[in-house]
Amino acid sequence: MNYFFTSESVSEGHPDKVADQISDAVLDEFLARDPESKVACETMVTTGQIIVAGEIRSEAYIDIQDVAREVAKHVGYDRSELGFDGESCGVLLAVHEQSPDINRGVVREKPEEQGAGDQGMMFGYATDETPLYIPLTLALSHALLKELAEIRREGVDMTYLRPDSKSQVTVEYSEDGTPLRVSTIVVSTQHDEFVKPSAEVTAQEADRRMHDVIARDVRDILLPRVKAKLPENIRHLISDDVELLVNPTGKFVVGGPNGDTGLTGRKIIVDTYGGHGAHGGGAFSGKDPSKVDRSAAYAARHIAKNLVAAGVASRALVQVAYAIGKAEPVSINVNTYGTAKVDMTDGEISNRVAGLFDMRPYAIERRLKLRNPIYRETSTYGHVGRTPRTVTKTFRTYGEKPFTREVELFTWEKLDYVDAVRDAFGLK
């Protein structure tokens, strides 16, 4: 029997994502100056206020207040009428050094013996239903909001757009998990109050007129632009009769941190697989790679993606678990959901994977080049399903000469182990 599955995404202007971006921007600034920095940075944003707290141990100094303001302005919160202005909002800092009780379990005389920064289990997932090796529901949810942000920044169409938005996509799947059609798309976008009540126009009528314009533009501008960028085998799944729900409450003027308090790490399902697979519960943003919540989740994704790309299975969920202060994981498990294409049980596949990938924290950091300032780019539109690329980033702070760093982004998305996986599993 067919079934329906739904995933959501949120934009860079969503309050929780503003918080994530600030936390990861702070992390990048420290790593750019001191790659061995230990950072656990949490951010809260609300009306007119940014609060940055956490534990940081580093030889570097940065102006955290300046970093937080720059992020807010870059997102689009640059005027007081939004209730959150990066230039004028208050910034409160509550930062202290990392606990020595944690640090003693991480830092070792031999780097390769570096212990995990915490206990816990982490998951990585991959599926062959999209070229990105992520679920279709999530890929489309992200695509809608990335395109909406592009339209907003172009400033040509839909000029009423504000930074905060959310999307949700429901796909009908066949019993064997094949996507059949997109059944429902939800887009909620913050907007200017471009029709105001007057003597001739009631408040209810003004809201209706705004809603009609936004709904029309989403259907006639946003959706065609998104579909044009999709592969043909996915594009045809979005038919003209798809159910489209736009700003279901009818009005979305008050948004961002002025409409809802934002916190780092509150969108972990948006960050990963949209509800598919599994999640260990640990957030990513603001954490340096000694925190296995982040680094091991990336490594597990790297394994899952290479397994699927190599043809070991159509879907793969990789779980890894650690004890704080211990280098070797306590377990590694692979679940192929019965889609394995090799004559092995999942337990046998797991053992083969454990011998192929070194999952000690130090090895993960080196293999994926994680002690670099690469994290701000991960804080919006998902940490997975992204395109690996090399970029040059510029860093500057008050009283310091700007400098650049060339870094590789999204290294865990590389298919650089496909040949090794095929060899290990006897695949041609």
Side-chain angles (χ1 to χ4, degrees):
M1 183 174 181
N2 295 353
Y3 65 93
F4 294 83
F5 198 94
T6 302
S7 296
E8 73 159 350
S9 182
V10 298
S11 73
E12 60 219 61
H14 186 281
D16 293 330
K17 279 291 146 196
V18 175
D20 283 345
Q21 289 170 86
I22 292 172
S23 292
D24 273 335
V26 169
L27 171 61
D28 276 359
E29 294 288 339
F30 276 107
L31 290 176
R33 294 164 177 82
D34 176 10
E36 298 306 315
S37 296
K38 301 296 186 294
V39 179
C41 178
E42 314 289 344
T43 303
M44 182 177 83
V45 294
T46 187
T47 303
Q49 185 72 53
I50 299 172
I51 300 171
V52 180
E55 300 78 48
I56 298 174
R57 182 187 292 263
S58 178
E59 297 298 319
Y61 169 80
I62 70 165
D63 187 337
I64 296 178
Q65 181 178 116
D66 184 65
V67 172
R69 293 187 187 282
E70 185 276 325
V71 170
K73 289 185 288 185
H74 176 77
V75 170
Y77 292 110
D78 54 6
R79 56 194 191 277
S80 59
E81 66 183 284
L82 299 178
F84 184 74
D85 179 3
E87 192 65 48
S88 61
C89 68
V91 181
L92 175 64
L93 304 181
V95 176
H96 58 276
E97 282 203 345
Q98 183 186 63
S99 162
D101 293 347
I102 295 175
N103 186 260
R104 68 187 291 185
V106 174
V107 179
R108 298 291 170 80
E109 184 176 344
K110 294 182 179 180
E112 63 273 17
E113 294 178 358
Q114 170 186 322
D118 201 353
Q119 71 172 48
M121 66 282 191
M122 300 83 209
F123 290 91
Y125 177 77
T127 172
D128 63 5
E129 68 183 74
T130 68
L132 301 173
Y133 294 92
I134 61 173
L136 179 61
T137 51
L138 182 65
L140 292 177
S141 295
H142 286 325
L144 286 162
L145 296 189
K146 284 190 279 189
E147 196 63 36
L148 195 65
E150 187 66 26
I151 292 171
R152 175 171 62 87
R153 290 199 162 92
E154 290 171 356
V156 176
D157 296 313
M158 303 177 75
T159 55
Y160 49 78
L161 291 173
R162 290 182 173 182
D164 193 1
S165 58
K166 301 179 75 171
S167 66
Q168 188 172 284
V169 175
T170 302
V171 170
E172 181 180 3
Y173 288 85
S174 65
E175 193 170 343
D176 66 358
T178 301
L180 299 176
R181 68 183 179 98
V182 176
S183 66
T184 307
I185 295 174
V186 182
V187 176
S188 296
T189 181
Q190 186 188 15
H191 58 89
D192 293 337
E193 193 160 13
F194 57 90
V195 179
K196 296 185 179 181
S198 65
E200 293 78 27
V201 180
T202 65
Q204 185 176 12
E205 176 63 14
D207 292 350
R208 186 191 66 79
R209 292 184 185 181
M210 287 191 292
H211 180 269
D212 288 349
V213 169
I214 297 168
R216 180 199 66 205
D217 288 350
V218 168
R219 181 175 290 276
D220 296 343
I221 298 173
L222 175 62
L223 280 187
R225 286 180 52 149
V226 171
K227 289 178 67 174
K229 295 180 179 180
L230 296 175
E232 176 55 37
N233 66 326
I234 292 177
R235 187 185 312 151
H236 82 280
L237 298 177
I238 307 176
S239 66
D240 291 339
D241 62 353
V242 63
E243 183 178 14
L244 179 62
L245 304 175
V246 179
N247 285 8
T249 66
K251 184 178 182 180
F252 188 3
V253 171
V254 178
N258 188 40
D260 187 17
T261 296
L263 295 171
T264 298
R266 203 159 56 176
K267 284 291 174 282
I268 57 177
I269 301 303
V270 172
D271 287 341
T272 52
Y273 308 101
H276 294 260
H279 198 293
F284 300 158
S285 289
K287 296 177 180 178
D288 77 84
S290 70
K291 281 72 174 175
V292 285
D293 275 345
R294 181 170 219 161
S295 56
Y298 291 168
R301 160 64 177 177
H302 184 232
I303 294 171
K305 185 175 181 179
N306 278 269
L307 286 175
V308 172
V312 174
S314 296
R315 297 167 62 200
L317 179 70
V318 177
Q319 186 205 53
V320 60
Y322 293 87
I324 188 169
K326 300 296 183 182
E328 294 287 349
V330 298
S331 67
I332 297 175
N333 179 65
V334 179
N335 179 3
T336 65
Y337 302 93
T339 69
K341 302 175 184 179
V342 294
D343 188 20
M344 293 183 180
T345 66
D346 284 354
E348 291 170 331
I349 293 173
S350 301
N351 289 336
R352 194 71 57 90
V353 164
L356 187 59
F357 294 88
D358 188 341
M359 293 296 284
R360 293 175 299 169
Y362 179 81
I364 292 172
E365 288 184 9
R366 293 301 180 270
R367 181 165 68 249
L368 301 181
K369 303 178 182 179
L370 299 182
R371 286 235 157 251
N372 287 294
I374 58 174
Y375 296 104
R376 184 169 174 177
E377 288 79 3
T378 69
S379 57
T380 52
Y381 309 119
H383 294 242
V384 299
R386 308 295 293 273
T387 302
R389 62 187 188 275
T390 299
V391 300
T392 299
K393 302 176 69 169
T394 300
F395 298 89
R396 55 173 61 86
T397 193
Y398 179 76
E400 177 186 73
K401 183 178 179 181
F403 63 96
T404 60
R405 289 281 305 277
E406 186 176 87
V407 297
E408 288 187 65
L409 303 179
F410 303 106
T411 53
W412 49 93
E413 291 295 302
K414 288 183 174 182
L415 295 176
D416 52 349
Y417 268 67
V418 167
D419 289 342
V421 169
R422 286 176 176 160
D423 288 343
F425 286 90
L427 298 170
K428 300 297 183 181

